[in-house]
Amino acid sequence: MQEHYGIALAFGAVAFLLMYMGFIIQKLIAPKNKTDLKMDTYECGEEPEGDGWLQFNIRFYVVALIFIIFDVEVVFLFPWAVVFKDMGFLTFIEVFVFMIILTVGLAYVWVKGDLDWVKMKLKYGAGRYSATKLHEPETK
Amino acid sequence: MGALNHKFNENILITSLDKLLNWSRSGSEWYFQFGLACCAIEMMSAAAARHDLERFGAMPRSSPRQADVMIVAGTVTLKMATRVKRLYEQMAEPKYVISMGSCANSGGPYWQHGYHVLKGVDQIVPVDIYIPGCPPRPEALIEGLLHLQKKMREEHILAKKED
């Protein structure tokens, strides 16, 4: 039993060396010259403007998810459309059921208001902004 | 510099290691893919199927971080000179420069009256190889790259510098 630990240790040591040998060698012999200009963002030789990280609106996420539904639908409909004439009425029923399921999904998304780009479910002054009373209508 | 660069006296082990490192370095002259004028057309032609630079291990890289050789292919206008300088500074060590064509060598046809042209790219970056011609044929560029390989193979990486 005891000698197995030695074998495992040898395996570990070799694995460690194989993994880190490249790192160690390049650390020792690679020339380095880290100037500020070199570590700067590469922008085709121009002076970089703004942040390198681009931010997308979170609403694109929902749109992308909805897109995938119809994307997959089209992928499945194309081969069906090609062989539709030979396959007969049964496949028509099957695809019809498939499309109904997806249409239910679309209806759900529609009802939930995810197809609207601008979401105006909350009235001004309602919800968590009610305490601040930003747009309270004047009452006489 | 790394911890072992230029630290050893020359002996058979060190010179052999240097040879190995130089050989691997000279076998992958990845050049920075940017052209400034008509010389770039010849550079593209040299990289394409007929002349095929990749058989010498030279392949175009789109980022200076991955490039070893900068081929200054064409007229360096004064406006472009600052960009060329910046791109050279952003390349990782070790880096080499090939000045391709008369314009990059000396200003070329713009030598006398070119108010907008840098008279030789060696005024802003250290040039290793000059290739004459206006523009040089792809064969000339290949010869320049081979001369650069020769220069790379004589370098000292682990051994002390000669001077």
Side-chain angles (χ1 to χ4, degrees):
Chain A
M1 186 62 204
Q2 291 285 322
E3 71 271 15
H4 293 317
Y5 287 113
I7 294 170
L9 186 69
F11 265 94
V14 169
F16 184 82
L17 274 182
L18 280 178
M19 243 168 52
Y20 284 94
M21 194 71 84
F23 287 107
I24 294 167
I25 290 176
Q26 77 92 12
K27 203 82 181 168
L28 288 177
I29 64 174
K32 280 181 275 296
N33 183 18
K34 294 190 176 177
T35 57
D36 286 346
L37 205 52
K38 185 181 288 176
M39 307 316 281
D40 209 358
T41 312
Y42 167 59
E43 218 164 82
C44 301
E46 299 288 332
E47 282 185 25
E49 267 183 45
D51 203 5
W53 292 92
L54 229 96
Q55 289 188 334
F56 285 96
N57 197 316
I58 189 70
R59 284 179 287 187
F60 282 112
Y61 169 70
V62 178
V63 174
L65 269 183
I66 298 170
F67 165 75
I68 283 181
I69 296 175
F70 298 106
D71 197 34
V72 174
E73 183 176 0
V74 168
V75 165
F76 281 123
L77 281 188
F78 259 113
W80 168 75
V82 170
V83 297
F84 171 58
K85 273 187 182 171
D86 306 328
M87 297 298 280
F89 193 66
L90 185 65
T91 51
F92 179 74
I93 297 289
E94 281 172 356
V95 168
F96 197 73
V97 170
F98 172 60
M99 284 182 69
I100 280 179
I101 293 171
L102 285 178
T103 312
V104 168
L106 175 65
Y108 177 77
V109 163
W110 199 340
V111 168
K112 284 289 178 181
D114 282 330
L115 293 181
D116 302 329
W117 186 248
V118 182
K119 293 180 177 60
M120 284 291 203
K121 286 272 175 173
L122 283 179
K123 284 176 184 172
Y124 285 123
R128 60 193 169 124
Y129 295 112
S130 54
T132 55
K133 292 182 180 171
L134 280 176
H135 296 276
E136 196 168 301
E138 292 178 18
T139 48
K140 287 178 182 176
Chain B
M1 288 285 123
L4 297 182
N5 285 134
H6 309 304
K7 288 284 155 58
F8 300 96
N9 290 318
E10 289 196 42
N11 56 43
I12 184 156
L13 178 69
I14 294 301
T15 44
S16 308
L17 273 176
D18 264 4
K19 251 182 204 166
L20 178 71
L21 291 171
N22 283 333
W23 169 75
S24 60
R25 213 178 247 184
S26 67
S28 65
E29 290 176 314
W30 291 8
Y31 58 92
F32 187 26
Q33 182 186 33
F34 85 117
L36 301 176
C38 40
C39 282
I41 305 295
E42 300 294 317
M43 185 171 76
M44 289 175 221
S45 172
R50 188 178 180 85
H51 298 282
D52 195 15
L53 274 184
E54 285 203 30
R55 63 201 159 121
F56 305 109
M59 71 195 272
R61 304 306 296 173
S62 306
S63 165
R65 319 289 192 198
Q66 303 163 351
D68 304 304
V69 183
M70 182 159 101
I71 301 177
V72 184
T75 316
V76 186
T77 55
L78 293 177
K79 224 176 187 179
M80 200 65 202
T82 55
R83 272 78 167 178
V84 172
K85 174 80 175 160
R86 192 182 184 88
L87 290 174
Y88 174 75
E89 294 293 338
Q90 290 192 331
M91 279 165 66
E93 253 81 9
K95 48 193 174 187
Y96 306 90
V97 178
I98 290 179
S99 166
M100 182 183 181
S102 302
C103 294
N105 288 346
S106 66
Y110 308 97
W111 167 252
Q112 199 173 1
H113 300 299
Y115 57 92
H116 61 301
V117 173
L118 191 73
K119 306 292 188 288
V121 75
D122 49 7
Q123 294 187 13
I124 50 170
V125 293
V127 177
D128 293 282
I129 304 288
Y130 296 89
I131 304 174
C134 187
R137 284 189 55 81
E139 291 93 330
L141 177 60
I142 289 171
E143 194 187 354
L145 281 167
L146 291 179
H147 272 289
L148 184 62
Q149 282 193 356
K150 209 180 279 177
K151 189 172 179 179
M152 284 168 158
R153 290 206 193 100
E154 286 159 10
E155 276 186 350
H156 298 251
I157 296 177
L158 300 174
K160 281 178 183 166
K161 282 181 182 175
E162 276 167 352
D163 54 25

